Amino acid sequence: MTPRTAHSEYPGGIRSDGLPAALSDPARLAAVEATGLMDTEAERVFDDLARVAAAVTGCERAFITLVDEHRSFWKSCVGVDAREVSERGSPVGESFCYFLVGLDGEPFVVEDAAGDPRTVGHPSVGPMRIGSWAGYPIKGCLL
């Protein structure tokens, strides 16, 4: 299944690869780059936030993720053994995070990833053992 068939009703349309056009928005990409957080080591403040998210939701895993045009970078990943920067992420098409970007930053919640028509057949459902998934955008913050 391609991302186009998983969910194609994005406000900004889709790219030729079927992913949301918003992934390639120059202003969004500049904002991601301006954070200076892509490809950086784990930091306690982000790990603490991910641990709180896992505790509040009762989930085994929680991520703080930055998404550029080609990949999702896990600034923090609780419940996943990925210590090296090079291990913390995935191609954007294998991440549910492109839904958040494509839906203009609206939350994206799926109760049954294997059965939901928006995510059925998504390449990360099996390997990442995704049952349910909830993503909430962090559009900006002051540290």
Side-chain angles (χ1 to χ4, degrees):
M1 168 170 285
T2 65
R4 180 187 315 270
T5 58
H7 189 87
S8 60
E9 296 182 20
Y10 301 110
I14 58 172
R15 305 187 308 194
S16 62
D17 61 1
L19 293 172
L23 287 166
S24 300
D25 176 65
R28 191 191 72 77
L29 292 171
V32 170
E33 186 173 337
T35 68
L37 296 173
M38 292 293 283
D39 298 317
T40 59
E41 296 294 329
E43 294 179 56
R44 184 175 177 173
V45 65
F46 294 102
D47 290 344
D48 287 349
L49 181 57
R51 277 193 283 281
V52 167
V56 167
T57 61
C59 293
E60 297 174 8
R61 293 175 284 172
F63 299 79
I64 305 297
T65 306
L66 289 101
V67 182
D68 69 13
E69 190 171 18
H70 304 287
R71 64 201 168 103
S72 292
F73 172 68
W74 308 333
K75 179 61 180 165
S76 179
C77 50
V78 170
V80 174
D81 187 23
R83 294 188 180 112
E84 301 297 321
V85 169
S86 62
E87 300 172 324
R88 295 192 344 248
S90 64
V92 73
E94 295 176 14
S95 168
F96 276 27
C97 292
Y98 71 75
F99 290 104
L100 288 171
V101 175
L103 295 172
D104 200 26
E106 291 297 316
F108 182 71
V109 179
V110 176
E111 292 186 32
D112 175 15
D116 190 296
R118 300 168 297 173
T119 56
V120 67
H122 190 281
S124 67
V125 172
M128 290 292 287
R129 300 180 341 267
I130 298 174
S132 58
W133 192 90
Y136 294 87
I138 302 172
K139 293 185 179 184
C141 62
L142 299 173
L143 297 177

